[in-house]
Amino acid sequence: MTRIDQTFARLRAEGRKAFVSYIMAGDPDTATSLAVMKGLPGAGVDIIELGMPFTDPMADGPTIQLAGQRALDAGQTLEKTLAMAAEFRKGDDRTPLVMMGYYNPIYSRGVDRFLTDAKAAGIDGLIVVDLPPEEDDELCIPAQKAGLNFIRLATPTTDDARLPKVLQNTSGFVYYVSITGITGAAAPEAADVAPEVARIKAATDLPVIVGFGITTPEAAEAIAGIADGCVVGSAIVKDIGEGRPVAEVLARVAALAEGAHRG
Amino acid sequence: MPDDRVNSFMTGPDEQGRFGIFGGRFVSETLMPLILELERQYEIAKTDDTFWAEMDDLWTHYVGRPSPLYHASRLTEHLGGAKIYMKRDELNHTGAHKINNVLGQIILARRMGKTRIIAETGAGQHGVATATVCAKFGLKCIVYMGAHDVERQAPNVFRMRLLGAEVVPVTSGRGTLKDAMNDALRDWVTNVRDTFYCIGTVAGPHPYPAMVRDFQSIIGKEVRWQLAEQEGEGRLPDTVVAAIGGGSNAMGLFFPFLDDPSVKIIGVEAGGKGVDDRMEHCASLTGGRPGVLHGNRTYLLQDDDGQILEGFSISAGLDYPGIGPEHAWLHDTGRAEYVSITDAEALEAFQLSCALEGIIPALEPSHALAHVMKIAPTLPKEHIIVMNMCGRGDKDIFTVAKHLGFDMKI
């Protein structure tokens, strides 16, 4: 059982929904993003997605793109992102860490080396946007063997015929992308998302977490209410990008977390 | 052609869309079903006679194919070695090879019921070709173009607008061709139902590299029969040479000759200011290493951390940090040789073609020609070189004037 599995078991026992939040590692610099990261569990975050910056984030909207650029301009590397995770782990052995990003920096480091380092840094799961099930041999299967969860995205274009293929090698949870589009796009209506979540839950026992477009505590509550939890990324990253103090960013996170936990 | 398909270079890609380790389908889940559907529809179209009949008709009457195979006699004499032929794809409608592929994709899009076409463009040639065919068929066309290129290539931007296309300047990332491709992919992810993404080169997720190659292969197929007509039955070129950015004109010339071992195949990458640690070039094969970008694994210009670098070249059409995956495979298997040519060498070839043959070439084929200038003098007179004159140089005269210190203000 990874920390992700344990977290969902605990939340289920408590009858609560999960609040997942995303930050970009190294944005605007390593120290600031580590300070935000360390404050997330206290602000009510159940699972942390740690973004790995990439020059060409094809599935992301402007907010996340700019965050990645800021991080890269400040000298962030995969090495430093792994070190951030390890540093966080020294003070928190409970909150699951999921690294999220694109394949090339991982491929460039070497899959085996990356998995060894990620495991040693206390990483629990991976979300790699440009690795669909058709490319499972690349990283998904090796990651599962190394004891990391490989969390897959399901989308509105994933029809019933394809769904089993998407779920097959997924572990930890299923991340349902509530819209066809990029991160930070328009918010989905909970009523429209509900049947899609039900469709996925009928096909798997894994928790289903919904993301993309959630920016307010009310939306977090509504979306978490029809799933096992929700993800907020761009709304938090936007605050960081505007140079708001860490405490202010964490206050926003806390409000979103409360919303999700009401769901 | 050999019957031995096991040892054939022409059977790729495999079912995973791979050429060896290269290629593949590295896209987000939202796009995956679309790419599978595209592959299914292309497999049907490709063996459908009515599809190819429509292509042939438009190639003949709209594009002006076959393009001539021209014996460049003064250039041959000047270089004093191998006999040089130019495949004149710059005489196509819109002035480059790009339209060969665009026609195929747009006919396919129409068969699939798609009404909105998106494309990325660097120098603007693929954008102009896409806007042209969309105008012809009354389809909505949106072209993503790096903001920097929009400024540099104003005439092509205006052409696209005249043709009814919407040109979207891309400011994300560094505002270059690769960023335009990112934004086109973002558009596609957002508009999955009605939109067809018309990729301009032999890159991207499977089936694009194979599909674009198939459409461009008309170039090499014509060369086969045209050379036989001029040089005698069964005569094949000894060497074929083409410039490579993403590599579509080169793949189109090379593919029909892959299984003819007597034909030497040479791809010419843009060496910019020279292929060295300064990384001011676009030579992915000579100066890059394998990585994953824009849906496929191929050679990429990247730093030690796997971050993608910007290419640099005098030619905006070669200004891409990757290369088609089939080229990466042909490189690794040794079937094709890849070399690089600097900006300065390309400029010299550009001027020589103008002076000796009365042909103003685009800067892209000027790279191929520059390599021909290097090798032709070392080869015997009976050695036949075919180089792909894949685009005309009208679009480049401002750039060339600037480099030659000529004041264009009248």
Side-chain angles (χ1 to χ4, degrees):
Chain A
M1 271 211 352
T2 64
R3 290 186 193 86
I4 297 172
D5 302 325
Q6 289 162 5
T7 296
F8 278 109
R10 180 170 51 79
L11 288 170
R12 207 173 298 122
E14 293 170 2
R16 291 204 307 152
K17 299 301 172 69
F19 180 63
V20 181
S21 87
Y22 172 101
I23 58 165
M24 177 66 81
D27 169 35
D29 54 63
T30 311
T32 308
S33 66
L34 182 60
V36 173
M37 189 182 179
K38 284 181 172 170
L40 292 176
V45 171
D46 299 301
I47 297 174
I48 297 172
E49 286 180 5
L50 188 59
M52 298 177 275
F54 183 49
T55 40
D56 295 80
M58 294 166 300
D60 285 301
T63 303
I64 305 284
Q65 287 173 44
L66 290 171
Q69 265 181 37
R70 285 192 297 270
L72 291 172
D73 290 346
Q76 190 70 12
T77 59
L78 186 48
E79 187 78 34
K80 287 184 184 173
T81 303
L82 288 163
M84 260 181 78
E87 184 61 31
F88 172 88
R89 254 309 153 244
K90 284 183 190 165
D92 184 324
D93 195 34
R94 192 172 87 148
T95 309
L97 287 180
V98 175
M99 289 181 91
M100 181 167 183
Y102 296 81
Y103 185 39
N104 198 54
I106 295 170
Y107 180 72
S108 172
R109 189 176 185 84
V111 165
D112 291 343
R113 182 178 163 212
F114 169 77
L115 290 174
T116 305
D117 295 348
K119 191 75 188 160
I123 298 296
D124 303 286
L126 303 173
I127 301 177
V128 183
V129 180
D130 51 355
L131 285 177
E134 279 73 8
E135 305 291 352
D136 269 358
D137 291 341
E138 295 284 334
L139 181 65
C140 172
I141 306 290
Q144 312 265 29
K145 281 190 184 146
L148 292 168
N149 288 135
F150 197 86
I151 295 136
R152 188 100 62 198
L153 306 180
T155 71
T157 58
T158 313
D159 61 18
D160 288 340
R162 183 169 168 78
L163 193 53
K165 193 174 176 77
V166 169
L167 295 172
Q168 192 182 15
N169 292 321
T170 302
S171 63
F173 60 92
V174 178
Y175 185 140
Y176 181 66
V177 176
S178 56
I179 50 159
T180 57
I182 51 183
T183 52
E189 289 291 332
D192 295 336
V193 181
E196 289 296 293
V197 172
R199 180 169 75 91
I200 295 167
K201 288 192 76 72
T204 180
D205 293 332
L206 289 169
V208 177
I209 303 298
V210 177
F212 278 41
I214 301 165
T215 54
T216 64
E218 293 71 31
E221 179 180 354
I223 293 291
I226 52 103
D228 296 304
C230 69
V231 188
V232 177
S234 295
I236 299 165
V237 171
K238 191 161 169 278
D239 276 3
I240 296 171
E242 286 168 0
R244 294 180 191 281
V246 173
E248 206 176 305
V249 173
L250 292 175
R252 152 96 75 176
V253 173
L256 287 158
E258 272 175 37
H261 289 144
R262 276 197 304 270
Chain B
M1 229 169 273
D3 294 328
D4 181 1
R5 302 301 286 173
V6 177
N7 292 320
S8 171
F9 284 95
M10 297 174 72
T11 55
D14 66 16
E15 281 175 12
Q16 307 301 311
R18 299 287 182 96
F19 303 90
I21 66 161
F22 301 104
R25 288 179 284 220
F26 297 88
V27 296
S28 64
E29 174 60 23
T30 310
L31 290 182
M32 200 58 218
L34 280 73
I35 281 163
L36 292 172
E37 175 63 8
L38 174 63
E39 182 186 354
R40 204 176 65 81
Q41 295 284 345
Y42 176 58
E43 287 302 315
I44 295 169
K46 160 169 123 167
T47 53
D48 180 349
D49 291 343
T50 63
F51 177 81
W52 290 106
E54 190 176 358
M55 286 286 283
D56 283 340
D57 179 61
L58 289 165
W59 266 338
T60 306
H61 301 106
Y62 192 65
V63 177
R65 301 209 73 92
S67 67
L69 182 68
Y70 166 70
H71 172 215
S73 58
R74 290 193 70 214
L75 189 68
T76 299
E77 195 184 331
H78 175 79
L79 296 174
K83 186 170 185 180
I84 299 160
Y85 281 90
M86 293 175 173
K87 178 59 173 166
R88 303 286 306 277
D89 253 52
E90 101 279 15
L91 294 176
N92 293 337
H93 182 39
T94 71
H97 67 288
K98 292 290 186 188
I99 198 161
N100 300 334
N101 159 51
V102 170
L103 266 183
Q105 289 198 48
I106 300 295
I107 292 172
L108 188 60
R110 277 163 49 86
R111 287 167 69 109
M112 292 173 71
K114 303 290 182 183
T115 53
R116 185 175 173 275
I117 308 296
I118 57 171
E120 84 293 337
T121 198
Q125 293 306 101
H126 174 61
V128 168
T130 306
T132 298
V133 181
C134 285
K136 191 213 149 14
F137 285 112
L139 295 166
K140 190 173 167 56
C141 177
I142 295 101
V143 179
Y144 289 89
M145 188 169 185
H148 184 55
D149 290 330
V150 167
E151 248 173 63
R152 284 195 294 185
Q153 309 285 340
N156 270 344
V157 173
F158 185 56
R159 277 185 193 105
M160 287 185 266
R161 288 187 174 143
L162 277 176
L163 291 160
E166 181 191 339
V167 180
V168 183
V170 173
T171 53
S172 67
R174 308 289 176 214
T176 61
L177 174 56
K178 81 173 171 68
D179 302 304
M181 198 152 179
N182 290 334
D183 265 20
L185 285 163
R186 289 177 187 124
D187 178 311
W188 204 20
V189 167
T190 309
N191 301 288
V192 294
R193 313 279 171 205
D194 63 346
T195 298
F196 186 99
Y197 182 15
C198 182
I199 295 184
T201 191
V202 285
H206 178 65
Y208 283 99
M211 179 170 70
V212 175
R213 172 202 70 197
D214 292 347
F215 294 144
Q216 291 292 2
S217 291
I218 185 72
I219 298 171
K221 285 180 196 158
E222 285 176 4
V223 168
R224 276 189 96 91
W225 65 257
Q226 287 173 318
L227 195 70
E229 232 175 47
Q230 295 183 47
E231 294 282 344
E233 195 54 42
R235 183 69 165 99
L236 294 174
D238 298 298
T239 302
V240 291
V241 183
I244 297 185
S248 69
N249 91 81
M251 223 39 250
L253 175 63
F254 297 170
F255 188 70
F257 296 107
L258 290 180
D259 282 344
D260 298 290
S262 71
V263 180
K264 189 173 167 62
I265 295 173
I266 305 176
V268 184
E269 295 192 286
K273 293 181 179 171
V275 183
D276 53 34
D277 292 345
R278 291 175 300 168
M279 294 306 275
E280 290 183 279
H281 63 81
C282 294
S284 320
L285 287 175
T286 19
R289 61 192 167 87
V292 173
L293 179 70
H294 292 152
N296 64 113
R297 176 168 21 232
T298 188
Y299 278 77
L300 298 171
L301 301 182
Q302 52 185 319
D303 68 13
D304 292 342
D305 201 42
Q307 304 296 339
I308 309 304
L309 299 172
E310 298 295 328
F312 177 89
S313 168
I314 189 174
S315 156
L318 302 178
D319 208 345
Y320 181 70
I323 184 168
E326 196 166 6
H327 286 295
W329 176 71
L330 291 171
H331 171 266
D332 278 15
T333 57
R335 176 61 189 100
E337 181 192 346
Y338 293 86
V339 298
S340 67
I341 282 292
T342 64
D343 288 353
E345 291 168 326
L347 273 171
E348 197 190 327
F350 178 98
Q351 293 172 81
L352 196 69
S353 174
C354 295
L356 292 181
E357 297 294 346
I359 294 171
I360 302 178
L363 282 168
E364 293 83 16
S366 296
H367 284 72
L369 194 60
H371 190 69
V372 169
M373 285 163 61
K374 280 187 183 175
I375 60 171
T378 69
L379 295 165
K381 291 194 185 319
E382 53 284 3
H383 188 105
I384 292 177
I385 298 177
V386 175
M387 66 81 56
N388 201 6
M389 183 57 76
C390 62
R392 67 174 185 228
D394 308 43
K395 70 179 173 61
D396 292 319
I397 54 170
F398 300 96
T399 305
V400 174
K402 194 177 137 212
H403 281 269
L404 299 181
F406 184 85
D407 187 0
M408 291 283 278
K409 287 189 211 82
I410 300 164

